[in-house]
Amino acid sequence: MSSNTVFLNDAFIVEAQASLLVTDLSIQRGYGIFDFFKTINGKPVFLDDHIARFYNSAQKMHLHISQTPEELKDIITELMQKNNLPDSGIKMTLTGGYSADAYTLPAAQNLIITQTALTVPKGLQAEGTTLVTYPYQRQLSEMKTLDYSMAIWLQPFIKENNAGDVLYQFDGFIKETPRANFFMVTTEGEVITAKDNVLSGVIRKNILNLKDTGFQLTEREFSLEELYNASEAFITSTTKNILPVLKVDGKAIGNGKAGKITTQLSALLLEKIR
């Protein structure tokens, strides 16, 4: 049983002792938000970006965070000191709160912050991954909600197709994976990621904001057919950084190996993280 310390509402407690009432909307209706960031050598990575997205998700979901961003940072700092996990993942969860009728949104929500050990990639994971597409548009896509029902429901489908994960497409246009943003590289060297109806990933944001890369970084819609003809593809997330996508729907992307631009962007991102 874990002896890690967690923060629940206004107190630090042992993880095994942390609990919520069954009337919480996260349990009754799956209503709530979260954000997740990593620490490397005891330092949070892109913390301001993650906190800004956490508050943005809360506002759009009509949820209230009692603490200010600076107070939240102080809590995170103290949690890190108590757990002493230099390389870790920290998850901030805001549940819907205790509802008298299991439907009405209450005024107060429950804040949970947990920390677990995390192995952080030191470089590009060149072995990459494979994806299988599925027609789906994630609801409330601009908010990082607790709802991963479709992704979990599709796990047998993913396994049947010998894929590492699912890639959502809607009306023939590529969107994202359940836990990562998706990029493709055209044969002309343009790096493209979906613009609308996807989560604004923090790694995605920092790639798009890279300066003087020599690459054309574009946000726009692109089709499944364009993806099949791409020269490279990769996904981005807090835990993966940049992970090459070698196959989609059983079709090799480019030469089926980690591409040159993917490798170069990975090096630039890792430098920014450091």
Side-chain angles (χ1 to χ4, degrees), residues 235-253:
I235 57 175
T236 63
S237 75
T238 291
T239 55
K240 301 175 183 68
N241 292 329
I242 287 179
L243 182 65
V245 174
L246 309 185
K247 288 184 179 180
V248 175
D249 293 338
K251 300 176 175 63
I253 301 300

Side-chain angles (χ1 to χ4, degrees), residues 74-89:
D74 289 340
I75 291 168
I76 290 167
T77 298
E78 187 170 350
L79 183 70
M80 291 172 62
Q81 291 170 346
K82 290 179 180 294
N83 285 325
N84 191 26
L85 295 171
D87 292 348
S88 73

Side-chain angles (χ1 to χ4, degrees), residues 42-81:
K43 295 182 179 180
V45 177
F46 302 138
L47 179 58
D48 287 339
D49 289 334
H50 284 283
I51 286 181
R53 186 173 65 178
F54 188 54
Y55 278 83
N56 180 64
S57 292
Q59 180 183 22
K60 289 184 175 180
M61 290 286 284
H62 314 301
L63 301 175
H64 175 66
I65 304 173
S66 299
Q67 296 80 5
T68 66
E70 288 305 315
E71 288 172 339
L72 195 59
K73 287 183 184 179
D74 289 340
I75 291 168
I76 290 167
T77 298
E78 187 170 350
L79 183 70
M80 291 172 62
Q81 291 170 346

Side-chain angles (χ1 to χ4, degrees), residues 36 38-40 86-89 116-122 125 238-241:
F36 179 90
K38 63 192 170 195
T39 68
I40 299 176
D87 292 348
S88 73
T116 56
L118 178 69
T119 301
V120 180
K122 303 299 181 184
Q125 298 167 280
T238 291
T239 55
K240 301 175 183 68
N241 292 329

